[in-house]
Structure formats: structure tokens, C-alpha cells
Amino acid sequence: MVEHMLDFMLGPMRGITSFYMDHLLYCNIIVIFSYFASKFFKRKKNNFIK
């Protein structure tokens, strides 16, 4: 029942969800690293302007 609902709601995104669940650790590391990189470059850019 739940599988049918997920297939209907997610549609083609279902494949991306299974890839994300299989590689959860690597995906989360990429997200966290990109967050800190954006904070670092934004701070560096603001210091340069002042």
C-alpha cells in the first residue's frame, strides 16, 4: 500500500530517492561541505569589500 502511494506521489523521482538512500553518508557529506564552503567564501568576500 505504501509503495503504491510513494510511486504515485514521487513518480520518476523514485529512482533518485533509492540512489540517495543507498549513498546516504556521501550525499550528506556533500551537503554539509557545500554549506561550510558557501559560508567561508561569503565571509571572505564580505571581508574583502570592507
Side-chain angles (χ1 to χ4, degrees):
M1 176 76 179
V2 174
E3 289 294 322
H4 295 295
M5 289 173 51
L6 287 173
D7 286 337
F8 177 74
M9 290 186 285
L10 295 176
M13 298 296 285
R14 188 81 165 141
I16 295 171
T17 303
S18 65
F19 175 81
Y20 175 73
M21 288 303 191
D22 290 341
H23 302 92
L24 193 62
L25 178 65
Y26 302 119
C27 294
N28 286 340
I29 288 172
I30 291 169
V31 169
I32 291 170
F33 178 74
S34 64
Y35 169 76
F36 284 118
S38 68
K39 288 290 189 182
F40 175 75
F41 287 120
K42 186 181 287 187
R43 184 181 330 143
K44 190 174 182 181
K45 186 185 213 182
N46 288 341
N47 289 340
F48 182 71
I49 293 172
K50 291 181 182 177

